Amino acid sequence: MKKIAVLFVCLGNICRSPAAEAIFINLIERKGLTDAFIVDSAGTGNWHIGKKADSRMRIAAERREINILSRARQITSEDFEKFNYILAMDDSNFRNIQDLKNRSSSNNFASIKKIQNFRSLFNEQEVPDPYFGGEEGFDYVLDILEDSVSGFLESIS
Ligand code: 4NP
């Protein structure tokens, strides 16, 4: 069976999208669906390429027994051919992904959506950027993402 490829995207690829990726990986593991998916994350920006996720986010996730293992990379036009779903964390990411898609000549196969389209418990229309804020912001991002990432999985199941 053909795998479903899912790419989570934020600005730096060190806070929100690595967390979303790890939450999704954890969720599909628990449901026995690991083999059905290819999962990755990327940033629209290039500042943190090659870096581990922000330690504040890794520690907050570990408290929930979620391991964030990804290394930051930047989204490329090839991702529009490789991924079935590209899920943006906020409006700015969404616009930047759309701009890149419009400038690229690749086969635009991916469906681009905002992850918060799949929320049910939180009213947030965007996943807030926790990078310049306090510790509690990282837990809040994880709470939001646990809700909307599971909503996304339900939407495609
Ligand atoms: P992310 O958070 O987009 O959730 O990875 C950020 C990380 C770094 C920066 C901004 C947002 N930065 O400006 O370096």
Side-chain angles (χ1 to χ4, degrees), residues 125-138:
Q125 305 285 322
E126 304 180 277
V127 182
D129 185 346
Y131 188 67
F132 295 106
E135 297 281 319
E136 67 289 349
F138 291 84

Side-chain angles (χ1 to χ4, degrees), residues 45-63:
N46 63 2
W47 310 284
H48 303 286
I49 290 172
K51 287 200 195 141
K52 283 186 184 173
D54 189 301
S55 59
R56 297 167 294 177
M57 184 57 93
R58 282 187 283 126
I59 289 164
E62 272 163 25
R63 284 198 294 268

Side-chain angles (χ1 to χ4, degrees), residues 12-151:
N13 193 211
I14 55 168
C15 297
R16 293 166 293 174
S17 61
E21 175 189 7
I23 288 169
F24 190 74
I25 288 170
N26 186 271
L27 190 61
I28 59 177
E29 263 169 24
R30 284 191 275 125
K31 290 182 181 282
L33 296 172
T34 299
D35 291 345
F37 289 95
I38 292 166
V39 190
D40 198 2
S41 67
T44 57
N46 63 2
W47 310 284
H48 303 286
I49 290 172
K51 287 200 195 141
K52 283 186 184 173
D54 189 301
S55 59
R56 297 167 294 177
M57 184 57 93
R58 282 187 283 126
I59 289 164
E62 272 163 25
R63 284 198 294 268
R64 301 175 188 218
E65 301 188 344
I66 293 166
N67 288 322
I68 301 181
L69 302 172
S70 66
R71 293 275 179 172
R73 74 169 178 92
Q74 189 173 28
I75 188 170
T76 72
S77 50
E78 286 169 10
D79 290 321
F80 300 116
E81 296 178 6
K82 288 184 187 156
F83 288 90
N84 301 87
Y85 297 98
I86 297 182
L87 298 166
M89 297 294 118
D90 65 26
D91 291 340
S92 165
N93 309 149
F94 183 81
R95 280 193 302 273
N96 287 331
I97 297 165
Q98 292 283 1
D99 285 350
L100 179 63
K101 182 179 126 170
N102 292 340
R103 280 185 273 118
S104 85
S105 54
S106 56
N107 269 332
N108 293 321
F109 166 71
S111 166
I112 304 167
K113 294 183 190 297
K114 279 172 58 180
I115 190 65
Q116 287 308 95
N117 290 358
F118 304 99
R119 73 191 190 282
S120 59
L121 303 175
F122 292 85
N123 283 328
E124 302 277 4
Q125 305 285 322
E126 304 180 277
V127 182
D129 185 346
Y131 188 67
F132 295 106
E135 297 281 319
E136 67 289 349
F138 291 84
D139 267 314
Y140 186 48
V141 164
L142 290 168
D143 290 340
I144 290 174
L145 286 173
E146 282 182 337
D147 174 46
S148 49
V149 166
S150 71

